[in-house]
Amino acid sequence: MYSFANNKINLTLCGMMGSGKSIVGKLLARKINFNFIDTDKFIEKKIGKPINKIFSEDGERYFRELEEKTIIDILQKKKYVISLGGGAILNKRIRNVIKNNSYNIYLKVSIDILTKRLENSKNRPLIKNKDINKVLMDLIKKREKFYKKSELIIKNETNINDIVENICNTLKLYD
């Protein structure tokens, strides 16, 4: 049994890379018996190469076009928890479909914690061979105004199970 605001049919998780969207999404979907999709992983599987390779060989614009089509298609379905790529929220069409077809949750994490979580990451094209802290600050400046329009903002800096419980309790989701 589940019920949440405006009878939305999906849950989307947005936030910066490293904010925990995938792990929280998997656990949340399992708990409420929804399907789970990580849009970045879905695109990698569909195209047959990792995102950093898509970026380097085909460009970010091509990736963003794939991302838009993928998210819009997924959000036509029901009972999904969807982990969005960190930059997906910049796309107006994606934001509109999210608004109409899902309940959006922003997983907020401080820059210090994000930097620590991402310092050994090798498969994130936007931070590869760059000053992670500076890149994150720049990205947050561009994205946070959209993240903050989410229907629920959860600080994800503690135990993952507690975060999932917090979401379930806040949205009155029951398994």
Side-chain angles (χ1 to χ4, degrees), residues 146-162:
F146 299 115
Y147 291 154
K148 284 184 172 179
K149 291 181 181 177
S150 298
E151 289 145 304
L152 177 63
I153 299 172
I154 297 277
K155 200 164 182 118
N156 185 20
E157 298 180 349
T158 58
N159 180 294
I160 295 293
N161 291 317
D162 292 345

Side-chain angles (χ1 to χ4, degrees), residues 15-158:
M16 292 294 294
M17 63 181 102
S19 64
K21 299 178 300 279
S22 296
I23 187 72
V24 169
K26 276 182 203 160
L27 291 172
L28 181 60
R30 193 175 306 138
K31 184 160 183 64
I32 65 172
N33 202 25
F34 273 32
N35 296 299
F36 172 74
I37 289 185
D38 175 317
T39 59
D40 286 351
K41 297 280 182 256
F42 184 86
I43 290 168
E44 286 180 337
K45 193 172 182 180
K46 185 177 178 181
I47 300 301
K49 54 185 163 183
I51 287 176
N52 57 359
K53 207 168 195 173
I54 296 171
F55 266 65
S56 66
E57 293 178 2
D58 306 302
E60 183 176 358
R61 184 172 179 197
Y62 175 72
F63 171 77
R64 296 297 175 196
E65 289 168 4
L66 285 173
E67 182 177 56
E68 178 182 298
K69 182 179 180 351
T70 299
I71 292 169
I72 289 171
D73 287 350
I74 294 166
L75 282 171
Q76 302 312 307
K77 302 172 192 269
K78 294 181 179 179
K79 293 181 75 174
Y80 274 81
V81 174
I82 302 150
S83 168
L84 300 168
I89 205 77
L90 294 172
N91 180 308
K92 187 174 180 150
R93 287 188 66 212
I94 291 173
R95 286 195 311 270
N96 287 336
V97 174
I98 288 169
K99 185 175 182 177
N100 293 325
N101 295 8
S102 77
Y103 188 94
N104 195 28
I105 301 166
Y106 169 29
L107 296 182
K108 186 174 175 65
V109 179
S110 74
I111 289 211
D112 292 342
I113 291 175
L114 287 174
T115 301
K116 190 169 277 186
R117 288 180 184 175
L118 294 167
E119 63 191 0
N120 295 316
S121 180
K122 306 236 184 302
N123 60 350
R124 303 201 185 248
L126 295 178
I127 60 171
K128 192 175 180 183
N129 303 320
K130 296 185 178 132
D131 177 340
I132 296 172
N133 207 324
K134 183 185 179 334
V135 171
L136 290 174
M137 289 191 336
D138 291 344
L139 290 173
I140 286 173
K141 273 184 204 163
K142 291 177 192 158
R143 298 174 178 179
E144 194 159 49
K145 66 183 171 199
F146 299 115
Y147 291 154
K148 284 184 172 179
K149 291 181 181 177
S150 298
E151 289 145 304
L152 177 63
I153 299 172
I154 297 277
K155 200 164 182 118
N156 185 20
E157 298 180 349
T158 58

